[in-house]
Amino acid sequence: MENLTLTQMIEKLEIWIEDVQFDLTQDWNEEKELMMVQLQQLIIAKSNLELILKTGGQILSSSISK
Protein backbone atom coordinates (compact mmCIF):
# COMPACT_ATOMS: atom_id res chain seq x y z
CA MET A 1 0.00 0.00 0.00
CA GLU A 2 1.18 3.49 -0.78
CA ASN A 3 2.00 6.05 1.88
CA LEU A 4 -0.93 8.41 2.28
CA THR A 5 -1.29 11.75 3.99
CA LEU A 6 -4.04 12.19 6.54
CA THR A 7 -6.03 14.23 4.04
CA GLN A 8 -5.71 11.52 1.37
CA MET A 9 -6.75 8.85 3.88
CA ILE A 10 -9.81 10.89 4.88
CA GLU A 11 -10.72 11.21 1.19
CA LYS A 12 -10.40 7.43 0.72
CA LEU A 13 -12.56 6.82 3.78
CA GLU A 14 -15.23 9.14 2.34
CA ILE A 15 -15.28 7.06 -0.85
CA TRP A 16 -15.49 3.80 1.10
CA ILE A 17 -18.30 5.22 3.25
CA GLU A 18 -20.26 6.20 0.14
CA ASP A 19 -19.67 2.76 -1.39
CA VAL A 20 -20.88 0.94 1.71
CA GLN A 21 -23.92 3.23 2.00
CA PHE A 22 -24.80 2.45 -1.62
CA ASP A 23 -24.32 -1.30 -1.11
CA LEU A 24 -26.64 -1.18 1.89
CA THR A 25 -29.46 0.04 -0.37
CA GLN A 26 -29.14 -2.89 -2.78
CA ASP A 27 -31.53 -5.83 -2.63
CA TRP A 28 -28.81 -8.36 -3.49
CA ASN A 29 -26.93 -7.51 -0.34
CA GLU A 30 -27.37 -10.27 2.24
CA GLU A 31 -24.63 -8.97 4.56
CA LYS A 32 -26.40 -5.78 5.63
CA GLU A 33 -25.86 -6.30 9.36
CA LEU A 34 -22.12 -6.81 8.91
CA MET A 35 -21.94 -3.88 6.49
CA MET A 36 -23.68 -1.61 9.01
CA VAL A 37 -20.94 -2.43 11.52
CA GLN A 38 -18.30 -1.77 8.87
CA LEU A 39 -19.97 1.54 7.99
CA GLN A 40 -19.91 2.59 11.64
CA GLN A 41 -16.22 1.70 11.86
CA LEU A 42 -15.40 3.68 8.71
CA ILE A 43 -17.28 6.72 10.03
CA ILE A 44 -15.46 6.49 13.37
CA ALA A 45 -12.08 6.14 11.63
CA LYS A 46 -12.82 9.18 9.46
CA SER A 47 -13.93 11.23 12.46
CA ASN A 48 -10.81 10.27 14.41
CA LEU A 49 -8.50 11.22 11.54
CA GLU A 50 -10.32 14.55 11.08
CA LEU A 51 -9.88 15.26 14.79
CA ILE A 52 -6.17 14.44 14.64
CA LEU A 53 -5.80 16.67 11.59
CA LYS A 54 -7.56 19.58 13.35
CA THR A 55 -6.05 19.24 16.82
CA GLY A 56 -2.80 17.37 16.29
CA GLY A 57 -0.72 20.52 16.61
CA GLN A 58 2.93 19.79 17.22
CA ILE A 59 2.58 16.08 16.50
CA LEU A 60 1.38 16.77 12.97
CA SER A 61 3.97 19.42 12.25
CA SER A 62 6.81 17.23 13.46
CA SER A 63 6.04 13.67 12.43
CA ILE A 64 2.95 13.24 10.27
CA SER A 65 2.34 14.67 6.80
CA LYS A 66 -0.84 16.69 6.44
Side-chain angles (χ1 to χ4, degrees):
M1 181 173 214
E2 61 188 285
N3 291 330
L4 300 173
T5 65
L6 285 175
T7 303
Q8 290 170 323
M9 192 65 225
I10 290 168
E11 290 169 358
K12 283 197 176 283
L13 283 166
E14 288 172 353
I15 292 168
W16 295 336
I17 288 168
E18 289 174 10
D19 289 348
V20 172
Q21 287 174 325
F22 176 79
D23 287 349
L24 282 169
T25 66
Q26 302 306 302
D27 291 334
W28 57 261
N29 188 345
E30 297 176 4
E31 300 288 332
K32 288 188 179 186
E33 187 174 319
L34 175 60
M35 291 193 79
M36 285 296 294
V37 171
Q38 293 171 338
L39 177 60
Q40 290 171 348
Q41 292 171 339
L42 289 170
I43 291 170
I44 291 168
K46 180 180 174 262
S47 297
N48 286 336
L49 289 179
E50 288 172 336
L51 185 60
I52 291 169
L53 190 59
K54 288 180 183 176
T55 63
Q58 184 179 4
I59 293 171
L60 289 177
S61 62
S62 65
S63 64
I64 301 174
S65 298
K66 292 184 181 177

